[in-house]
């Protein structure tokens, strides 16, 4: 079963200089999609898109405000939607 | 022009191996495919390494992205640190660091720093095929296609245990003892559908485990992320941002969410 295409795989026969040039050209072209890339492709924040990242920070602010409110003896803001 | 991530690896390792290039750029290095715009490194977990990496990044004008600070205290808990800068061509360069890559033992991680480097340049330290496959067993479907191609480069017994290609499982079945359900299905003569089903079940399990792991970190980072946004830390130059992140993380970021 072919898991990747021939275009993907035809690197083994390249010289180091050819591979550098191919990667450089690919990287240059790939810059076009920067604005649409997910914020993370590795690490522990993979899966967070820009919207989720904002939500996470907002939920964190809401929870902090709620805790501040409850610690002060007030009702606070309910952080749950 | 050279691969900027290969060149960064050499800068990090200028005075000795402290960073091993991993993930997508390692896939390029091993001549499998070109499919990643980012650089990912596994680094030694000590203060001197973190300082040196930060110095290299600062020299390139890098800024923090929303992440844990590059400090052993949080790296040891499995956190990742993320940075970004524009190179002289105006291209976006993203740099991601961990010291405790998922699915590798501490011993396997330590071995990365003594394994063979590039024969032409010892500063170009790149993760080997076996550990690369293990760290690519993520929640992302596209990583499993790459694993199949990486596994082809392994000796047959190792390939049989790790390949994601059902045809290779069928070809290798019965040659080596194994508890892998997909291999046992192939050996038992259950047919291709049974092999594909077991493989799908295995991959789904790996994806779910990775997702569960990451969800713990996301939940643990909420208050910390909120503070970073509120105080506009990411707008600051690297050294200043780092100090601020360490202060905020000390208050708000659990060192190891896996303990929760």
């Amino acid at each position: 079963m072919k898991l990747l295409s021939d275009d993907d795989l035809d690197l083994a026969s390249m010289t180091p200089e050819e591979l550098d040039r191919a990667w450089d050209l690919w990287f240059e072209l790939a810059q076009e999609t920067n604005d649409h890339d997910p914020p993370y492709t590795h690490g522990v924040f993979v899966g967070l898109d820009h919207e989720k990242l904002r939500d996470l920070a907002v939920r964190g602010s809401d929870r902090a405000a709620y805790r501040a409110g409850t610690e002060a003896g007030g009702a606070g803001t309910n952080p749950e939607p | 022009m050279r691969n900027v991530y290969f060149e960064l690896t050499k800068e990090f390792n200028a005075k000795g191996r402290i960073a091993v290039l991993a993930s997508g750029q390692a896939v390029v290095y091993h001549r499998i495919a070109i499919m990643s715009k980012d650089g990912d490194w596994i680094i030694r977990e000590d203060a001197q390494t973190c300082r040196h990496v930060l110095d290299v990044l600062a020299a390139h004008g890098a800024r923090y992205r929303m992440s844990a600070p590059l400090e052993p205290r949080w790296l040891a808990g499995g956190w990742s640190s993320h940075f970004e800068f524009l190179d002289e061509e105006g291209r976006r360069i993203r740099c991601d660091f961990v010291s405790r890559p998922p699915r590798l033992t501490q011993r396997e991680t330590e071995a990365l720093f003594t394994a063979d480097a590039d024969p032409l340049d010892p500063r170009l330290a790149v993760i080997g095929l076996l550990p690369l496959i293990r760290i690519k067993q993520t929640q992302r479907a596209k990583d499993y296609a790459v694993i199949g191609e990486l596994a082809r480069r392994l000796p047959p017994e190792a390939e049989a245990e790790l390949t994601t290609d059902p045809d290779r499982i069928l070809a290798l079945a019965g040659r080596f003892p194994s508890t892998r359900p997909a291999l046992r299905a192939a050996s038992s003569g259950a047919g291709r559908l049974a092999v594909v089903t077991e493989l799908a079940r295995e991959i789904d399990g790996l994806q779910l485990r990775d997702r569960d792991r990451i969800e713990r970190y996301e939940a643990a980072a909420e208050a910390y992320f909120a503070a970073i946004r509120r105080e506009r830390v990411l707008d600051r130059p690297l050294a200043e941002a780092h100090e601020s992140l360490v202060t905020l993380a000390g208050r708000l970021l659990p060192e190891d969410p896996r303990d929760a």
Side-chain angles (χ1 to χ4, degrees), chain A residues 32-55:
Chain A
E32 291 298 316
T33 63
N34 281 356
D35 290 346
H36 306 287
D37 291 341
Y40 306 96
T41 54
H42 294 94
V44 298
F45 305 111
V46 167
L48 285 177
D49 56 24
H50 294 289
E51 195 177 323
K52 278 189 198 170
L53 207 51
R54 275 193 297 275
D55 286 348

Side-chain angles (χ1 to χ4, degrees), chain A residues 20-40:
Chain A
D20 276 343
R21 283 203 300 275
W23 187 89
D24 203 60
L25 176 61
W26 178 90
F27 189 56
E28 186 75 35
L29 295 173
Q31 296 298 304
E32 291 298 316
T33 63
N34 281 356
D35 290 346
H36 306 287
D37 291 341
Y40 306 96

Side-chain angles (χ1 to χ4, degrees), chain B:
Chain B
M1 286 291 274
R2 296 179 180 277
N3 182 316
V4 61
Y5 297 110
F6 289 9
E7 295 307 296
L8 275 170
T9 306
K10 294 175 192 175
E11 284 188 60
F12 293 140
N13 292 329
K15 295 179 184 172
R17 189 187 302 183
I18 57 126
V20 176
L21 188 62
S23 297
Q25 299 308 325
V27 172
V28 175
Y29 177 83
H30 288 297
R31 311 294 191 102
I32 301 293
I34 297 176
M35 52 183 6
S36 176
K37 295 160 72 171
D38 304 343
D40 307 278
W41 290 268
I42 300 164
I43 61 172
R44 288 192 185 272
E45 193 178 283
D46 60 72
Q48 195 175 358
T49 291
C50 291
R51 265 197 309 276
H52 175 64
V53 169
L54 288 169
D55 286 344
V56 170
L57 293 172
H60 285 280
R63 298 270 170 126
Y64 261 102
R65 286 153 53 215
M66 190 79 88
S67 64
L70 193 74
E71 281 284 321
R73 198 173 147 190
W74 287 280
L75 291 174
W79 289 101
S80 51
S81 293
H82 303 265
F83 304 83
E84 183 173 306
F85 62 91
L86 298 179
D87 71 1
E88 56 273 11
E89 308 278 318
R91 301 179 305 180
R92 186 191 71 196
I93 311 298
R94 280 186 168 171
C95 302
D96 302 336
F97 302 91
V98 297
S99 67
R100 302 275 178 120
R103 296 172 291 282
L104 294 190
T105 64
Q106 191 132 349
R107 195 169 160 181
E108 288 167 336
T109 303
E110 284 165 10
L112 299 177
F113 296 97
T114 53
D116 291 339
D118 185 276
L120 297 177
D121 193 332
R123 298 171 301 165
L124 184 54
V126 184
I127 194 170
L129 289 172
L130 260 172
L132 178 56
I133 287 172
R134 298 264 291 287
I135 66 174
K136 280 211 156 286
Q137 288 170 333
T138 70
Q139 58 182 301
R140 298 187 314 180
K142 75 170 191 174
D143 283 338
Y144 292 90
V146 176
I147 288 173
E149 291 302 332
L150 288 167
R152 282 180 204 277
R153 306 282 186 89
L154 297 173
E157 188 164 5
E159 184 189 2
E161 288 298 321
L162 292 167
T163 185
T164 53
D165 182 348
D167 292 327
R168 290 301 296 155
I169 290 174
L170 286 161
L172 294 166
R175 288 174 56 181
F176 315 102
S178 175
T179 56
R180 189 182 188 192
L183 268 173
R184 291 167 72 90
S187 302
S188 73
R192 195 168 192 282
L193 181 59
V195 173
V196 169
T197 303
E198 288 298 342
L199 196 53
R201 194 171 284 143
E202 177 185 301
I203 291 173
D204 191 56
L206 287 168
Q207 289 177 297
L208 287 175
R209 277 200 289 282
D210 195 51
R211 193 166 75 195
D212 287 346
R213 178 182 70 89
I214 284 178
E215 279 175 359
R216 285 177 178 253
Y217 285 91
E218 288 174 10
E222 270 183 20
Y224 172 69
F225 277 11
I228 291 172
R229 273 186 178 263
R230 198 167 50 240
E231 300 189 21
R232 303 178 67 92
V233 174
L234 304 184
D235 295 341
R236 302 175 197 170
L238 192 62
E240 192 184 329
H242 179 72
E243 292 308 315
S244 299
L245 289 182
V246 170
T247 302
L248 290 175
R251 285 193 352 238
L252 299 168
L253 194 67
E255 288 178 7
D256 194 336
R258 296 166 300 186
D259 293 339

